[in-house]
Amino acid sequence: MCPGPRPRNAAATRTAILDAARERFAAESYDDVGMRDIARDVGVDAALISRYFGSKDDLFLAALESCGDGSALMQGDKAEFGKRVAHEVVFEPKKADQLKGMSIMLRSIGSNRASEMVQTTCSAQFFGPLQDWLGGPDATVRARLLAGFIMGMSISRELGGGSFDLEPAECERMRDRLAVILQALIDN
């Protein structure tokens, strides 16, 4: 997809490789993506990808980690979490990196190797910090339930083309009900 050889710029080349990998892993399963495919997308030799990232696993992890870690969820007052996050899920447009991350995770389900890497990364970068932030009894269970509600609602919205295909008043009622569910998990 690149018309000719790339000029020599290590940082730009590394970024281009990572961008191409994110696109590929979001569109295809881990097992179907080859280093040569990504190299061809960028216009570099596959050996250069190994030089910058190491193995395919390392490149996959870098692509996954570059999509964000969900730390924005844990910013702000816990007492307002349900309202804030429910409003975001129902009304705010998703950021491209968030959607790429979800796509990469969903496409990884079919691959034992990729699924294992996603689980490890999510535990270290998202579930662990969320559990610590929540604290209290059953923090692990509450963190998983929160993530399930948020991801499920986000996927449902994206399946509707970025909206829930509801009337504005219905969206407001959905936001209000979701806020109560999420806040109950925060408050224990």
Side-chain angles (χ1 to χ4, degrees):
M1 301 192 199
C2 187
R6 296 182 55 80
R8 289 182 183 246
N9 178 331
T13 300
R14 187 179 196 291
T15 299
I17 292 168
L18 188 56
D19 291 345
R22 232 186 344 259
E23 292 297 324
R24 282 278 179 172
F25 289 126
E28 301 172 45
S29 73
Y30 172 86
D31 295 330
D32 292 340
V33 174
M35 299 283 262
R36 286 192 172 117
D37 298 324
I38 295 168
R40 192 172 32 257
D41 292 348
V42 180
V44 299
D45 188 272
L48 192 58
I49 296 176
S50 295
R51 179 176 167 209
Y52 284 121
F53 292 96
S55 68
K56 179 179 171 180
D57 286 1
D58 295 331
L59 179 58
F60 178 79
L61 285 170
L64 183 62
E65 291 169 359
S66 72
C67 293
D69 61 5
S71 60
L73 285 176
M74 295 169 261
Q75 295 176 2
D77 184 4
K78 281 185 185 178
E80 296 295 316
F81 180 91
K83 289 179 184 176
R84 179 173 47 85
V85 174
H87 179 82
E88 182 179 324
V89 168
V90 175
F91 291 110
E92 298 296 322
K94 292 288 172 225
K95 296 177 181 88
D97 284 349
Q98 291 171 324
L99 295 175
K100 287 264 189 293
M102 276 198 291
S103 292
I104 291 170
M105 287 188 281
L106 291 172
R107 298 251 186 232
S108 302
I109 291 170
S111 166
N112 290 335
R113 181 70 194 122
S115 175
E116 180 182 307
M117 288 186 284
V118 168
Q119 289 172 4
T120 301
T121 300
C122 287
S123 290
Q125 291 191 337
F126 180 69
F127 291 117
L130 182 58
Q131 288 168 212
D132 293 342
W133 183 75
L134 287 171
D138 285 329
T140 303
V141 171
R142 291 169 30 233
R144 293 294 176 142
L145 286 168
L146 274 169
F149 275 109
I150 294 166
M151 285 191 289
M153 292 298 294
S154 296
I155 290 169
S156 175
R157 179 180 166 178
E158 293 312 311
L159 289 174
S163 74
F164 290 104
D165 198 26
L166 299 172
E167 295 296 321
E170 291 172 311
C171 286
E172 289 175 13
R173 288 194 305 274
M174 181 189 301
R175 177 203 56 209
D176 295 345
R177 287 175 179 247
L178 181 59
V180 170
I181 293 167
L182 297 177
Q183 194 62 48
L185 291 169
I186 293 293
D187 296 340
N188 194 21

